[in-house]
Amino acid sequence: MAAYLCPPAVIHGEHSVETRDIVAEVHGRHPNAPWAPRIDGIAASTGIETRGWMLPLETAVAPGAGGGLRSTGRGPAREALSREGFTEQEVDRAVAALEAVPAPQTVQERTAPAWEAVQSYGERAARGALQIAGLDVADVDCLITSNSTTPALPGLDVALANRLPLRGDAMLLPAAQWACVAGTRSLALAADLVAADPDRVVLVVISEALSTTYQPADDTLESLIVRLLFADTAVAAVVTGRPRPESVLRLDAAWHHTLPDTRDLHRLETREDGTHFVMDRRGPRAVQDTVTAMWEWLRVRYQDDPGSWHPDLLLAHPGGTRVLEYMEQTMPREWPSGLLEYSRDSYTSGNRGGAAVFDILRRAHDAGQKAGSRAVLYAAAPGLTATALEGEWL
């Protein structure tokens, strides 16, 4: 496989959103929800006190334009009231009252500003990654992109091809629906591309505005958890087929795994008021099944050296603390403790979805790693589908 990865650029959401502000907003909007008395404890259990968003919290909770008359319009409402015998003065008062009723934002109102931010953040991450790698935009032969919560056509690949701009013959590979697995799967695809042509330069850009799934009107417990978990991040990294002075990790092998009949456990739904992330409580257990399958892949890969081999770093997308705890419980007993240190550190400021593994990798790089250290990168996504990579620190 032998692909070489340069350090990623990581651009966190610039608007700091405090957990206490989310809790206050939810308390005020849903004071009578069955879970309202538990909200403070639930928030504390996440271990997340603040997260970065591309847009402020006020943008997510603001009402939509048009008020209560958005669907019918002022004219039809006046006509209907007049037919019922209301006087003109009464009609004026009724229409004014209806216009003052707050209405949820539409899909366009919610998604359009987030999509613009995703493009801007993605461009900044891309330029940062190229600078880190000591390369220029003209050196890029292929661009792989992923963004799951701001669908658009043309997508982020074409947007960045124009913004940077890339050469006209650069290959564009968008993967909008990879979601949480984007970090590892994009690297696996990049490794395949440079294996076919070692002179290729592949730029990976993942830009996720997960805060667009913050839906103020939802009153389910699962929606509350989504509000508390997600952060916005753009990341980018360069993958080459030959080592560069800036390369920090050699990728040696990739593994993919999809669980049948699990596509409904985690999913995005587009409704009238925007994108909703729907979680099933069975999800974490299913994700754990992919972890068990990954351990078996590593066992077979190193079956000739079962007693001494172990990863020195486990860079795992932390979909939640339960998954990390399960990893620690099920990994071989002889493996050292603390393999998930950087994953836990990343999670304290939010779940970054597809951008998470790059953020974790950056934290490990900044801390300094010994050459020859073995690293395993893992992520799972709605589907449920997972990808892992194994490699060596340079």
Side-chain angles (χ1 to χ4, degrees), residues 228-296:
L228 293 167
L229 293 186
F230 285 150
D232 297 347
T233 315
V235 297
V238 169
V239 179
T240 58
R242 306 186 194 280
R244 296 181 53 79
E246 299 83 3
S247 302
V248 295
L249 186 66
R250 187 187 69 240
L251 303 174
D252 294 330
W255 164 89
H256 306 281
H257 191 73
T258 300
L259 296 176
D261 303 320
T262 56
R263 62 179 183 170
D264 291 333
L265 297 185
H266 298 113
R267 63 191 186 275
L268 282 179
E269 291 183 355
T270 300
R271 304 174 189 167
E272 185 179 0
D273 57 350
T275 303
H276 295 245
F277 187 74
V278 181
M279 297 191 303
D280 189 296
R281 296 180 185 181
R282 298 171 296 164
R285 175 58 63 181
V287 173
Q288 290 165 6
D289 290 342
T290 70
V291 173
T292 304
M294 179 181 65
W295 294 152
E296 177 62 15

Side-chain angles (χ1 to χ4, degrees), residues 35-383:
W35 40 260
R38 301 164 49 203
I39 184 172
D40 294 289
I42 293 171
S45 70
T46 67
I48 302 169
E49 294 184 358
T50 185
R51 75 282 292 140
W53 284 4
M54 294 181 183
L55 300 171
L57 176 61
E58 292 75 19
T59 300
V61 301
L69 285 180
R70 181 170 59 201
S71 59
T72 58
R74 185 184 182 93
R78 292 189 66 88
E79 292 176 8
L81 289 168
S82 296
R83 285 197 301 269
E84 293 298 320
F86 289 92
T87 66
E88 186 172 352
Q89 188 177 24
E90 291 171 335
V91 169
D92 289 339
R93 287 201 302 267
V95 168
L98 289 170
E99 288 179 330
V101 175
Q105 296 180 41
T106 63
V107 175
Q108 181 181 14
E109 289 172 330
R110 192 64 192 278
T111 305
W115 168 233
E116 181 58 37
V118 162
Q119 295 174 77
S120 176
Y121 273 71
E123 179 184 354
R124 290 168 56 193
R127 293 187 183 278
L130 290 171
Q131 183 178 17
I132 290 169
L135 295 170
D136 189 74
V137 169
D139 296 316
V140 176
D141 300 301
C142 177
L143 171 67
I144 301 173
T145 62
S146 184
N147 65 296
S148 59
T149 57
T150 48
L153 184 66
L156 184 59
D157 59 326
V158 175
L160 294 180
N162 285 276
R163 281 172 170 259
L164 291 172
L166 298 181
R167 300 192 323 260
D169 64 345
M171 183 190 308
L172 306 182
L173 294 173
Q177 294 173 315
W178 272 347
C180 297
V181 82
T184 51
R185 193 154 294 173
S186 61
L187 293 179
L189 176 56
D192 287 342
L193 290 169
V194 298
D197 182 356
D199 291 323
R200 271 190 182 130
V201 172
V202 180
L203 174 63
V204 175
V205 181
I206 304 165
S207 187
E208 289 287 19
L210 301 181
S211 60
T212 56
T213 63
Y214 190 111
Q215 295 296 344
D218 279 3
D219 62 357
T220 64
L221 178 60
E222 290 74 19
S223 176
L224 166 65
I225 296 171
V226 168
R227 287 172 168 92
L228 293 167
L229 293 186
F230 285 150
D232 297 347
T233 315
V235 297
V238 169
V239 179
T240 58
R242 306 186 194 280
R244 296 181 53 79
E246 299 83 3
S247 302
V248 295
L249 186 66
R250 187 187 69 240
L251 303 174
D252 294 330
W255 164 89
H256 306 281
H257 191 73
T258 300
L259 296 176
D261 303 320
T262 56
R263 62 179 183 170
D264 291 333
L265 297 185
H266 298 113
R267 63 191 186 275
L268 282 179
E269 291 183 355
T270 300
R271 304 174 189 167
E272 185 179 0
D273 57 350
T275 303
H276 295 245
F277 187 74
V278 181
M279 297 191 303
D280 189 296
R281 296 180 185 181
R282 298 171 296 164
R285 175 58 63 181
V287 173
Q288 290 165 6
D289 290 342
T290 70
V291 173
T292 304
M294 179 181 65
W295 294 152
E296 177 62 15
W297 169 63
L298 290 171
R299 185 194 67 78
V300 172
R301 179 166 168 74
Y302 286 96
Q303 59 186 336
D304 295 334
D305 192 15
S308 60
W309 184 87
H310 62 77
D312 301 291
L313 296 164
L314 182 52
L315 311 178
H317 163 50
T321 55
R322 288 176 61 188
V323 175
L324 296 180
E325 291 167 358
Y326 183 79
M327 281 187 162
E328 291 177 329
Q329 294 165 4
T330 58
M331 67 178 61
R333 292 183 179 179
E334 59 270 19
W335 286 11
S337 61
L339 295 181
L340 290 165
E341 172 187 359
Y342 302 109
S343 296
R344 290 190 178 280
D345 184 48
S346 175
Y347 184 73
T348 60
S349 52
N351 180 333
R352 294 175 171 81
V357 166
F358 280 35
D359 176 65
I360 298 165
L361 177 67
R362 183 74 215 194
R363 292 168 190 262
H365 169 266
D366 290 348
Q369 302 302 322
K370 184 186 300 184
S373 297
R374 302 300 299 188
V376 173
L377 289 67
Y378 161 89

